[in-house]
Amino acid sequence: MGRGTIALLTKEIPADKRILITFGGGSVKKNGVYDQVTEALKNHNTVEFWGIEPNPSIETLRKAIELGKQEKTNFLLAVGGGSVADGTKLIAAGLLYKGDAWDLVKLRKPITDTVPMATVMTLPATGTEMNRNAVISRYETKEKYGIAANYPVFSILDPETTFSLPQNQIAYGIVDTFVHIMEQYLTVTGVSRPMDRWAEGLLQTLVEIAPKIIDNPTDYNLMSDYMLSSTLALNGFIALGGVPQDWATHQIGHELTALHGLAHGHSLAIVLPGTMNVLRAKKGDKIIQYGERIWKIKEGNRNERIGKTIIKTNEFFRSLGLTTHLSEEGIGYETVNEIERRFNERKVAFGENANVTGAVAKLILQDRL
Ligand code: NZQ
Ligand code: ZN
């Protein structure tokens, strides 16, 4: 991590590798990242694949896998945001898988063999640079699922690459980072003091830097703090020591993205306040701890404190310029019912208590209409 670190690619990737470099839609050509990568790898054997879209699709990734097989690729380098990195994780598995790579996603076939991959990250949000998750979509059926794929062998994080991010992507990225922490924090009290305070330290950092970043998106120190927070939010550390995890908000958010194309972080800003409200009986003690330590809410009875804390969380997301209700995005009952139907059909129940069934997801979404 740091300024100028893209140049390290030259020696980090062995000279004899046949590298497939993967990109998104072209932001890296405008901000100089592409030039830095090609300069660093000018003496390596490289092939490029362009066009991995936000919420990477199996339809596109199949083409990349075909190209990689033709070129006998034995190293992958993802250059871009979480979507390029996640897509490349699936390519890494797909290159060594005999069937259709969608099996690895939909049927959750275990991923055992992968081609080594690395990342150059240009968008802080997902933590994918230091975790093994990949979230893959299938556009033709409007599906989106997360899987355990593979870890990058290394990742490069130069905060200067983020200076070209538009405001909306920064807002989505901050919310995504915030909600990753919440999914591993907002469950029960008293499990782990160090992990609670680790999570709270990251939440406080985000609350402190977010308004400053909106005003100064090219401030190196601010973007550096944001980038590091995103990595630390979802690299497995907060979940150490048996900390319970939720992830219901993410699962509901994925459906909103699959059905309506909402950006990932935006879907979370809409859903999280509903999860907090509907599950306030079970999560109440932790919501009160979070409200007190992050938002300084100390007055009122239990219900009032919980209510104020949810309002503060919602206001934080709105202060980043995001809408937080389904109706503001033209989404209504039809979608609420469809998500309930999908969860019921898959017989899933998410959350730390495995109680977020289709019916509970419906209550959460109704709360956000
Ligand atoms: O495609 P290009 O032209 O590069 O533009 C991208 C894209 O349009 C642009 N962008 C990225 N870096 C930029 C930039 N524009 C200007 N300057 C830069 N420096 O931003 C747009 C969005 O990029 P994307 O990669 O889609 O965003 P993000 O990093 O938020 O990734 C979202 C995906 O990650 C998944 C999400 O579900 C979604 O599919 N997630 C992955 C996780 C993981 N692997 O652990 C966890 C998360 O919860 C999340 O689910
Ligand atoms: Zn996320």
Side-chain angles (χ1 to χ4, degrees):
M1 182 174 185
R3 263 194 196 101
T5 43
I6 293 175
L8 295 173
L9 285 172
T10 314
K11 60 180 178 56
E12 288 294 336
I13 305 182
D16 60 348
K17 293 291 183 193
R18 295 176 65 83
I19 311 166
L20 179 66
I21 315 181
T22 52
F23 301 98
S27 68
V28 294
K29 284 229 165 145
K30 293 186 206 133
N31 60 12
V33 171
Y34 176 75
D35 292 339
Q36 291 180 63
V37 169
T38 46
E39 173 62 25
L41 295 177
K42 65 182 178 209
N43 294 321
H44 282 69
N45 187 333
T46 62
V47 178
E48 297 178 6
F49 182 86
W50 288 86
I52 299 181
E53 49 300 79
N55 309 307
S57 75
I58 187 65
E59 290 91 340
T60 299
L61 299 173
R62 284 185 188 122
K63 294 179 197 154
I65 291 168
E66 203 177 298
L67 176 67
K69 283 183 177 168
Q70 266 168 26
E71 297 289 334
K72 300 195 175 13
T73 295
N74 57 13
F75 198 97
L76 292 157
L77 179 66
V79 182
S83 293
V84 177
D86 280 11
T88 306
K89 288 180 181 179
L90 191 73
I91 300 168
L95 284 174
L96 302 179
Y97 181 69
K98 293 218 168 54
D100 177 10
W102 183 245
D103 299 347
L104 304 168
V105 183
K106 177 85 191 225
L107 307 178
R108 306 183 81 82
K109 293 227 169 160
I111 293 179
T112 44
D113 296 324
T114 55
V115 168
M117 57 106 40
T119 76
V120 173
M121 293 307 294
T122 64
L123 199 173
T126 61
T128 190
E129 61 274 14
M130 201 173 164
N131 71 41
R132 66 188 297 205
N133 310 332
V135 185
I136 308 296
S137 297
R138 182 171 173 186
Y139 292 173
E140 55 187 337
T141 48
K142 296 193 185 232
E143 289 172 277
K144 183 179 188 199
Y145 304 112
I147 53 166
N150 45 311
Y151 290 95
V153 289
F154 67 84
S155 288
I156 290 182
L157 280 72
D158 180 343
E160 283 190 346
T161 65
T162 67
F163 289 179
S164 55
L165 281 169
Q167 288 273 349
N168 62 346
Q169 294 298 340
I170 293 176
Y172 305 147
I174 290 173
V175 173
D176 194 21
T177 306
F178 195 91
V179 179
H180 291 160
I181 303 163
M182 295 291 266
E183 298 270 30
Q184 302 162 88
Y185 169 77
L186 208 71
T187 56
V188 289
T189 55
V191 175
S192 171
R193 288 180 184 84
M195 289 302 112
D196 271 6
R197 292 209 158 85
W198 176 280
E200 287 154 2
L202 291 172
L203 292 172
Q204 280 169 332
T205 301
L206 291 170
V207 169
E208 184 179 322
I209 65 178
K212 299 191 172 87
I213 286 177
I214 298 296
D215 292 339
N216 306 292
T218 59
D219 180 300
Y220 183 86
N221 287 333
L222 285 174
M223 294 314 263
S224 180
D225 284 352
Y226 165 30
M227 211 170 197
L228 189 56
S229 298
S230 295
T231 304
L232 294 175
L234 194 48
N235 66 349
F237 286 10
I238 305 177
L240 287 173
V243 168
Q245 302 190 35
D246 181 341
W247 299 107
T249 296
H250 266 69
Q251 295 293 346
I252 300 170
H254 287 341
E255 298 299 331
L256 289 174
T257 301
L259 290 164
H260 293 280
L262 277 187
H264 173 62
H266 193 182
S267 75
L268 305 175
I270 292 174
V271 178
L272 182 71
T275 308
M276 292 171 74
N277 196 22
V278 170
L279 301 180
R280 61 161 69 200
K282 287 223 180 316
K283 289 180 181 289
D285 290 350
K286 201 60 175 279
I287 296 177
I288 286 174
Q289 179 179 317
Y290 155 74
E292 181 167 339
R293 294 190 187 175
I294 306 301
W295 300 111
K296 314 283 175 257
I297 294 167
K298 295 178 185 162
E299 307 290 323
N301 65 31
R302 183 181 172 86
N303 251 336
E304 286 164 356
R305 286 172 73 165
I306 293 173
K308 282 185 199 167
T309 303
I310 297 172
I311 290 171
K312 271 285 185 191
T313 307
N314 189 59
E315 280 173 358
F316 175 61
F317 297 156
R318 294 193 83 85
S319 75
L320 302 171
L322 298 179
T323 60
T324 56
H325 289 279
L326 293 166
S327 50
E328 293 175 280
E329 295 303 315
I331 300 173
Y333 266 105
E334 208 180 311
T335 298
V336 175
N337 291 334
E338 171 60 10
I339 295 176
E340 181 193 24
R341 191 196 66 73
R342 286 178 168 207
F343 278 18
N344 287 343
E345 186 180 76
R346 285 161 56 199
K347 297 190 173 53
V348 288
F350 298 111
E352 69 275 17
N353 297 307
N355 61 353
V356 183
T357 55
V360 175
K362 182 177 189 167
L363 292 176
I364 291 172
L365 288 165
Q366 278 172 343
D367 187 71
R368 305 311 295 160
L369 284 166

